Amino acid sequence: MLALVTGASSGFGYHICKKLINQGYNVIGIARRTEKLETIKHELGTNFLPITLDISESYEKTLDKLLSLPTKFSLKEIDIVVNNAGLALGLEPAYKADIHDWYQMLDTNIKGLISITRIVLPYMEEKRDGIIINMGSIAGSYAYPGANVYGATKAFVEQFSLNLRADLAGKGVRVSNIEPGLCGNTEFSLVRFRGDLTQVKKLYDRTNPILPEDIANVVLWIASQPKHININRIELMPTSQSFNHLQVTHN
């Protein structure tokens, strides 16, 4: 069994790779940071193939890199794709946000995800088997201040996942969207707050967030379901997080 995982160098991606390899999978791990990938390779062994690649770059560059994989890890052998790579930048309101942050989120969270999917999907359709697991977010369903483009990218992921299911009806290829709430022990918030540890600590103070190991368990559970079952979407939050009232302003 062969899986491809993006954003594999830390957080969700690292734990997903580790979990799948422990369950007997070979794993292609894609990320931008070569040094971190090599460290993971040393830990996980020969069943892990590290690929240094920025999926937000051109489709053609991504395709060329993946077409040159060794036989053991060839595209036609992939059983599971986990589109995990993604990021949020800033929490500023839309009228103050950096337009380049917006473009970077679009390039990674949308363009990178659809590039990987488009490359692998024909092979899955041909053999009438495979699973695409996309990493969405509750931000794709619930608006909150500062989520503007990040939330919009995750709403895209949710709808793209559903539309893939429509295209793949009867083809034997399954598509799932995992939509986590507050998650800790990753670099996500550190990246969002541009390395400001004070803001990160404030966000997680006295919370009990979802952990990367929890997400890896969800991925494995989806992958372990019988082939006649498709898990359309899974929304999960820590017990310390729930819904808020709709805002009403008084001018």
Side-chain angles (χ1 to χ4, degrees):
M1 297 180 290
L2 177 62
L4 182 152
V5 180
T6 65
S9 63
S10 64
F12 293 174
Y14 161 71
H15 283 278
I16 291 167
C17 292
K18 183 177 179 179
K19 176 71 70 172
L20 290 174
I21 284 178
N22 286 341
Q23 294 296 316
Y25 282 83
N26 295 320
V27 176
I28 304 163
I30 295 176
R32 293 174 300 165
R33 296 174 291 186
T34 302
E35 184 177 342
K36 285 211 166 193
L37 285 173
E38 289 301 328
T39 299
I40 296 169
K41 166 73 173 176
H42 180 73
E43 176 190 351
L44 300 183
T46 58
N47 289 340
F48 180 76
L49 177 68
I51 300 292
T52 303
L53 177 65
D54 183 346
I55 62 167
S56 69
E57 296 183 9
S58 73
Y59 174 84
E60 289 74 19
K61 184 173 181 178
T62 301
L63 178 62
D64 286 345
K65 193 95 172 189
L66 295 182
L67 284 175
S68 62
L69 298 177
T71 302
K72 179 180 175 180
F73 297 94
S74 70
L75 291 177
K76 67 180 181 179
E77 301 299 330
I78 293 175
D79 300 293
I80 300 174
V81 170
V82 184
N83 283 312
N84 167 69
L87 77 166
L89 293 171
L91 266 176
E92 298 83 5
Y95 52 86
K96 291 183 178 180
D98 185 331
I99 188 67
H100 300 292
D101 287 348
W102 282 7
Y103 288 150
Q104 188 174 349
M105 287 185 279
L106 290 171
D107 286 344
T108 303
N109 300 359
I110 294 179
K111 289 173 63 178
L113 181 147
I114 64 175
S115 291
I116 294 293
T117 302
R118 182 59 183 82
I119 288 168
V120 177
L121 203 53
Y123 298 95
M124 290 185 170
E125 189 276 333
E126 183 178 359
K127 65 182 181 180
R128 303 181 69 84
D129 192 19
I131 308 175
I132 304 289
I133 300 176
N134 294 325
M135 198 59 63
S137 168
I138 62 168
S141 301
Y142 309 106
Y144 61 87
N148 42 69
V149 167
Y150 173 70
T153 64
K154 294 305 183 178
F156 173 91
V157 172
E158 178 180 356
Q159 193 62 31
F160 180 61
S161 301
L162 293 173
N163 280 284
L164 282 178
R165 282 278 296 124
D167 284 347
L168 294 165
K171 299 291 186 180
V173 181
R174 294 175 281 169
V175 184
S176 297
N177 187 32
I178 301 175
E179 303 169 20
L182 182 67
C183 296
N185 284 14
T186 75
E187 297 177 355
F188 178 86
S189 292
L190 196 63
V191 171
R192 181 171 223 170
F193 296 129
R194 297 176 176 84
D196 188 334
L197 284 171
T198 301
Q199 280 190 283
V200 173
K201 289 178 181 178
K202 182 179 178 181
L203 174 63
Y204 293 105
D205 183 41
R206 293 178 295 172
T207 67
N208 187 23
I210 295 168
L211 299 176
E213 296 90 334
D214 301 324
I215 298 299
N217 287 335
V218 172
V219 168
L220 183 63
W221 180 78
I222 291 172
S224 66
Q225 297 308 299
K227 290 185 178 182
H228 68 283
I229 294 176
N230 190 93
I231 307 301
N232 294 336
R233 58 188 292 267
I234 294 180
E235 179 185 295
L236 60 156
M237 295 181 182
T239 54
S240 56
Q241 184 180 40
S242 188
F243 314 102
N244 206 345
H245 61 278
L246 293 176
Q247 183 178 7
V248 177
T249 59
H250 299 275
N251 297 321

